Each structure stands twice: as C-alpha cells, then as structure tokens.
Amino acid sequence: MEQELDYAEMLEIPVSTVNVVKKKGLNLFKRKPAKRAAAEVFEQPAEQTETDELKNLVVDSVNERVGAYVYAEDVSDPRDELPAAVAVKPKKRDRGNMVVLGELIAVCVIAAAIFLTNVFMPTSVINTFISSLANGNKKPAEPAYSDIKLSSVVSDFSDADITVSDNGVLSFTAEGAVYPVCAGTVASVAKDGETYVVKIAHTSTFSSVITGLSQVYSQKDTAVAANIPFGYSDGKTQVQVSMYDGETLLNCYTLSGEIPVWNS
C-alpha cells in the first residue's frame, strides 16, 4: 500500500478511493464450525465499517500530501455526456460559378476594348485582324482587265510581224511557239478544220481566243502562264488573238513593239 501511495503522489493524481485488502491466515480454507461461521456473519457489518473508515483515512492522507495540485476527478460515466457540438464550417463558394463570372468579366472587357478601338482607332491592329477574320471566307476581288499586264504572244526571238486591227484583233503569220497574253486557265479546245481554236479565261469576265494553231500543248482546265507556250504554229495559217470583256471584243490597246499595251 505504501508503494501505491508513493506512485499516486509522484503523478500528482487526486485519489478518491482505495482498495484495502486484509490478509488472512492459512487457516482460511479450514472448515469452520457452524457456530463460528454464523457469528462471523453477524460480525460482517462491523468489519465492513472498519474497512470503510480505513479507506477514508488513506484517501484523506494522500490528498493532503498532494496539496494544491489536487483537482476533483470527474468519475461520471463518459457515455452519459452529450457529444461536443460539431463546428459548422463555412461553405466554400462554387468554383464553377467563379469561373463563369470570370469569363463574363473577360468578355465584357474585350467587347469594351473593341468598341473603343473602333471609335478612336479604326485602323488599329485588332480592327484589321477582326476584319480579316470576317472577310476570311470571301474571295479576293478580281482585278479589272485594264489592270492586268499583257505580254507578247510570240517569243522574243521570233521574226513574226504582229499587227492589230481597228476592232482589236492581233494577227501574225510565222512559224513558232504561241504564248497567252497573260496567265489564265484553258477554258476550251476545239478543232476548226486543220487548225485549233483555244479559249483562255484570265478572270471570270476577261478572256482571250486564239485561232489558227497547228498544235495545242494544254488541255481544258489546265493553267497556263504568260512565259510558257501553250500552242504552236507551222506558219502556214494566220494566227489571230482576240480579247473579250464578257462578250464584248476589246480594242482599247495598242502595240509597243510586239507587246500589247492598254490605252491610258
């Protein structure tokens, strides 16, 4: 019991009860006479009272030795206690709503910037970029026939004598390669007796028709260039070149050497 008291004092734990065990002699297990056993039954309350008094003395002694460090021990059943109130955490804002709000603000800022640049800086980079996106699906405007530079229909080394009539038809009779007046696409190839007639589309409205060709190197829907021959003349038949704006024959040009030039 002395060891139990020292341990309680070391830990400075208040004591509310103690167990007192009274050792008995080895004759505990011997058979007692019936009269003696009955007497002990009646003596039991007195002995119990003595034990309780001894417990109280021991408890008071330990608590006095602990002194100011003794605290009342809560011996209540923890199962009877109510659970502590759970702290309610504030709800977090919905991330989705924050993202939508941010996107809405960004769109408003961009719209305001575009409006201000349209008013104060119509030629700014952003306006040019937006205009290019808006016109991205549109085909570029075709040049007028008068804005297209023409080239000679014969080689620079040819000795052909090229003339132009009053109605605007170029003509020559010479052996050699034949060139288009400018780049375009072969619209049709037709045979006329022993020679060929070729129509070349330069734009949707501007075209040229070449007759009197002995051979044709390009087929229909083939692209042609001004510096690459598309046909050949054996010099036996006159070659004629006519230019049209739609169905109208053009005669608004003259020759500068062997090169046709639009009238200014």
Side-chain angles (χ1 to χ4, degrees):
M1 184 174 65
E2 184 66 25
Q3 292 178 355
E4 292 180 359
L5 293 176
D6 293 341
Y7 183 70
E9 182 180 2
M10 179 179 65
L11 294 181
E12 300 179 354
I13 299 175
V15 177
S16 60
T17 183
V18 67
N19 293 329
V20 177
V21 180
K22 184 178 180 181
K23 294 183 179 181
K24 297 181 180 182
L26 296 178
N27 58 357
L28 178 65
F29 299 97
K30 293 182 179 180
R31 186 179 182 85
K32 298 178 180 180
K35 291 182 178 181
R36 185 178 178 181
E40 289 181 358
V41 171
F42 290 103
E43 293 176 359
Q44 185 69 21
E47 183 179 351
Q48 183 67 32
T49 301
E50 181 181 355
T51 302
D52 292 340
E53 292 178 356
L54 180 59
K55 286 182 180 182
N56 293 333
L57 290 175
V58 173
V59 170
D60 293 339
S61 175
V62 172
N63 290 335
E64 288 177 1
R65 296 174 65 180
V66 173
Y69 298 97
V70 176
Y71 297 92
E73 181 182 5
D74 186 6
V75 295
S76 60
D77 191 350
R79 291 175 298 180
D80 296 336
E81 297 179 357
L82 294 177
V86 178
V88 180
K89 296 182 179 179
K91 294 183 178 179
K92 297 182 178 179
R93 291 186 177 180
D94 190 4
R95 289 181 176 268
N97 293 337
M98 296 297 293
V99 172
V100 172
L101 180 60
E103 292 178 352
L104 181 60
I105 294 174
V107 170
C108 293
V109 171
I110 294 174
I114 293 173
F115 175 76
L116 293 176
T117 53
N118 285 336
V119 174
F120 299 104
M121 295 181 292
T123 59
S124 63
V125 176
I126 187 171
N127 285 337
T128 304
F129 175 72
I130 294 174
S131 299
S132 64
L133 291 179
N135 299 326
N137 296 329
K138 295 182 180 180
K139 294 182 179 180
E142 291 182 337
Y145 67 86
S146 58
D147 295 331
I148 298 175
K149 184 179 180 180
L150 303 178
S151 61
S152 175
V153 295
V154 296
S155 172
D156 294 339
F157 304 101
S158 175
D159 297 330
D161 185 15
I162 302 175
T163 61
V164 57
S165 65
D166 294 338
N167 58 357
V169 177
L170 289 169
S171 61
F172 68 91
T173 303
E175 182 181 3
V178 180
Y179 297 77
V181 292
C182 62
T185 303
V186 176
S188 63
V189 178
K191 193 168 185 180
D192 183 15
E194 297 297 327
T195 61
Y196 292 91
V197 178
V198 178
K199 181 178 180 180
I200 300 176
H202 305 289
T203 67
S204 60
T205 58
F206 178 49
S207 63
S208 60
V209 177
I210 302 94
T211 63
L213 296 173
S214 303
Q215 295 181 17
V216 177
Y217 306 140
S218 302
Q219 299 177 353
K220 182 181 178 181
D221 298 328
T222 302
V224 293
N227 60 344
I228 298 176
F230 72 95
Y232 176 79
S233 173
D234 59 7
K236 297 179 181 180
T237 306
Q238 186 183 51
V239 177
Q240 294 182 339
V241 180
S242 305
M243 292 180 282
Y244 294 86
D245 181 20
E247 300 296 331
T248 303
L249 180 63
L250 298 175
N251 61 352
C252 53
Y253 64 92
T254 58
L255 287 175
S256 175
E258 297 177 351
I259 301 173
V261 178
W262 300 110
N263 296 332
S264 57

